[in-house]
Amino acid sequence: MTDSANSMWGGRFAAGPDAIMEAINASIGFDQRLAAQDIEGSRAHAAMLAATGIIEASDAEAIREGLLTVLSEIEAGTFQFSTALEDIHMNVESRLKELIGEPAGRLHTARSRNDQVALDFRMWVRDQCDVASNGIAALQKALLAQAETGADWVMPGFTHLQTAQPVTWGHHMMAYVEMLGRDASRFADARARMNESPLGAAALAGTSFPIDRNMTAKELGFDRPSANSLDAVADRDFALEFLAAASICAMHLSRLAEELVIWSSAQFRFVAMSDRFSTGSSIMPQKKNPDAAELVRAKIGRILGATVGLFTVMKGLPLTYSKDMQEDKEQVFDAADNLMLALAAMEGMVGDMSANPDALRSAASSGFSTATDLADWLVREAGLPFRDAHHVTGRLVALAEDKGCDLPELSLDEMKSAHDAITDGVFDVLGVDNSVRSRTSYGGTAPDQVRAQIARWKTQLED
């Protein structure tokens, strides 16, 4: 095993590393996930080397065929990864040499493991931005379906988790569609910024070979090659941006998960979660626990932890590459895996859950939720300054509370006891349905506004 490792490094090292050094130095246990990107990058590099006359076309063809064989072995699960060879790059190159012999040694001309790993990791993260965007879109569609079904179902809107004003179920669902839309835009922005190829930066200073970096950039789907070789190998901003976007997205998922936990409780009964995303209790037969929602709620911890971890790794590194940067991948891999799992689980929960319109309406009608409508009526119809209207409404809320009733149940005489300008027209605004229908400002909770936003998002997601 040691001889194999030494053969990759030539004559500089006379003895192999001991077991501890091998264990801390090797990354093949996790960076084998970059195999497809590593081989794709190597194929593009070999084609460019042949096109520029740096290597023979016959060698490039042998390399291409050999790399395809290596990829098929990895995909079939028959490839033997070696810790002694440290990482995915050396494992692939070693196997390539076994397959095609001398031409394999020409593959690494005009590149370094520094630009190679920067390329592989950047391509992998770029792919994850696309996967995240697809997962977000799927969840948005599930939310849109819920919103369309309940565009005019009345429910309480909350501030401080206290009943504030009536809103619609559709409006509440659409709030998360908007949040997720911003998440998708962050992944798209990050993807656009990271879409520069570091291949050709070599170790740190570029290369004296007449390479064509535009050719490899285009072949690998990048917009352009990176403009500074030092920055190209030292940069991990792309991973940090991905993690930052993932953290915000996971935070949004956690907020929705918390609402599902609350709403599915016996105290709220706003929604019923499907059996597919619930569990029972080992001792209490009546229990139906929203475990999937609780686990999604917790994912922000490890995703944000990965973000902080990578920031900490990168914060003090001088240009350009340091071995510290080997610690960049496991955290990103874990965060990506857990974000995609959380998105898929949330899509399933939202798609399967059943809202309870009666419980929503009952809750919306409690807690003096139309008090603001009364204050607004006093401003519009009685000409009171809003602050005065606020005080009058507060007195009527106190009166209703003393009587154990809601505002619409007060008599006109009781209303007039707070201000004699009140007429029976006030009762037209006090019902929860009247309240939500009146919120017609752009972005408001009126059902027509909600349906307009649903239509806009449907078109946007189709596009």
Side-chain angles (χ1 to χ4, degrees):
M1 194 157 88
T2 299
D3 290 343
S4 175
N6 286 342
S7 69
M8 299 302 294
W9 292 114
R12 170 64 180 85
F13 297 96
D18 62 23
I20 294 174
M21 181 58 193
E22 183 175 286
I24 197 172
N25 194 49
S27 59
I28 189 59
F30 53 85
D31 70 11
Q32 61 186 262
R33 291 183 66 160
L34 301 176
Q37 290 78 15
D38 190 71
I39 290 171
E40 185 180 0
S42 290
R43 289 179 61 195
H45 184 65
M48 180 276 295
L49 292 176
T52 53
I54 298 172
I55 67 173
E56 296 294 330
S58 58
D59 287 341
E61 179 61 21
I63 289 169
R64 187 186 77 84
E65 292 296 328
L67 287 171
L68 288 176
T69 300
V70 174
L71 181 61
S72 67
E73 291 176 352
I74 292 173
E75 290 176 342
T78 61
F79 188 93
Q80 296 298 309
F81 292 102
S82 168
T83 303
L85 293 171
E86 296 184 14
D87 56 31
I88 186 61
H89 323 297
M90 304 303 278
N91 270 264
V92 168
E93 187 174 331
S94 177
R95 178 58 178 149
L96 183 65
K97 185 176 181 180
E98 291 175 355
L99 290 169
I100 68 172
E102 183 182 349
R106 305 188 191 284
L107 174 59
H108 211 55
T109 307
R111 77 173 181 185
S112 162
R113 281 201 301 179
N114 291 355
D115 63 339
Q116 188 177 1
V117 69
L119 172 72
D120 296 356
F121 193 27
R122 189 177 289 250
M123 290 172 64
W124 190 91
V125 173
R126 184 179 64 178
D127 289 344
Q128 294 307 299
C129 287
D130 295 337
V131 174
S133 295
N134 290 336
I136 288 169
L139 175 53
Q140 285 179 299
K141 289 175 182 177
L143 289 162
L144 283 170
Q146 286 284 352
E148 195 164 28
T149 299
D152 53 5
W153 293 350
V154 182
M155 68 175 289
F158 297 97
T159 61
H160 308 279
L161 203 55
Q162 306 295 312
T163 299
Q165 293 177 269
V167 297
T168 59
W169 171 259
H171 196 51
H172 202 113
M173 295 295 100
M174 292 304 295
Y176 284 103
V177 173
E178 292 290 335
M179 287 186 209
L180 291 162
R182 293 193 297 275
D183 292 328
S185 71
R186 273 183 280 270
F187 283 114
D189 288 346
R191 191 192 193 285
R193 249 185 309 280
M194 71 179 66
N195 209 32
E196 296 183 346
S197 173
L199 186 58
L204 76 162
T207 178
S208 59
F209 288 96
I211 61 173
D212 185 345
R213 295 190 65 205
N214 286 295
M215 177 182 173
T216 50
K218 181 178 180 181
E219 177 65 24
L220 296 170
F222 290 100
D223 294 330
R224 64 191 70 84
S226 53
N228 184 285
S229 61
L230 297 171
D231 179 52
V233 298
D235 173 41
R236 292 299 182 271
D237 289 2
F238 62 90
L240 290 166
E241 280 201 76
F242 172 80
L243 288 175
S247 294
I248 297 172
C249 184
M251 177 269 293
H252 288 152
L253 296 178
S254 185
R255 296 183 73 176
L256 177 54
E258 168 69 355
E259 297 216 286
L260 298 185
V261 170
I262 294 171
W263 290 351
S264 61
S265 68
Q267 290 72 26
F268 273 73
R269 297 184 301 109
F270 283 6
V271 299
M273 306 298 291
S274 77
D275 292 346
R276 293 201 311 150
F277 294 97
S278 304
T279 64
S281 166
S282 62
I283 189 171
M284 295 170 284
Q286 84 282 7
K287 293 290 293 298
K288 184 176 181 180
N289 299 324
D291 281 13
E294 292 171 357
L295 289 165
V296 169
R297 185 174 60 185
K299 292 299 183 186
I300 177 62
R302 64 195 298 171
I303 294 172
L304 181 59
T307 308
V308 174
L310 185 53
F311 269 104
T312 305
V313 168
M314 297 301 299
K315 73 175 183 64
L317 298 186
L319 297 180
T320 54
Y321 182 83
S322 297
K323 195 68 171 180
D324 311 49
M325 292 164 72
Q326 184 168 291
E327 293 295 315
D328 57 0
K329 295 171 196 66
E330 286 181 283
Q331 301 171 88
V332 178
F333 292 160
D334 184 75
D337 289 347
N338 280 280
L339 178 65
M340 306 319 163
L341 180 59
L343 283 166
M346 187 57 77
E347 179 201 352
M349 283 185 283
V350 170
D352 282 3
M353 72 181 180
S354 300
N356 183 343
D358 293 336
L360 294 170
R361 171 174 287 277
S362 176
S365 302
S366 66
F368 311 107
S369 64
T370 57
T372 304
D373 297 278
L374 173 55
D376 289 345
W377 185 90
L378 289 167
V379 172
R380 282 195 315 270
E381 304 299 328
L384 273 66
F386 182 80
R387 190 52 58 202
D388 293 345
H390 188 282
H391 291 319
V392 171
T393 301
R395 290 199 295 272
L396 288 172
V397 167
L399 176 60
E401 195 168 36
D402 288 342
K403 289 176 60 67
C405 67
D406 202 359
L407 287 172
E409 298 170 292
L410 292 175
S411 69
L412 178 59
D413 286 342
E414 288 169 329
M415 289 276 190
K416 291 177 76 68
S417 70
H419 199 285
D420 58 11
I422 297 177
T423 68
D424 58 2
V426 73
F427 294 102
D428 292 337
V429 302
L430 290 183
V432 290
D433 292 295
N434 292 332
S435 175
V436 296
R437 281 197 296 267
S438 73
R439 307 294 173 182
T440 56
S441 58
Y442 180 80
T445 193
D448 287 347
Q449 281 291 326
V450 172
R451 290 189 177 94
Q453 295 299 330
I454 292 170
R456 177 177 69 86
W457 269 106
K458 278 186 172 182
T459 299
Q460 191 167 323
L461 289 173
E462 287 170 4
D463 292 341

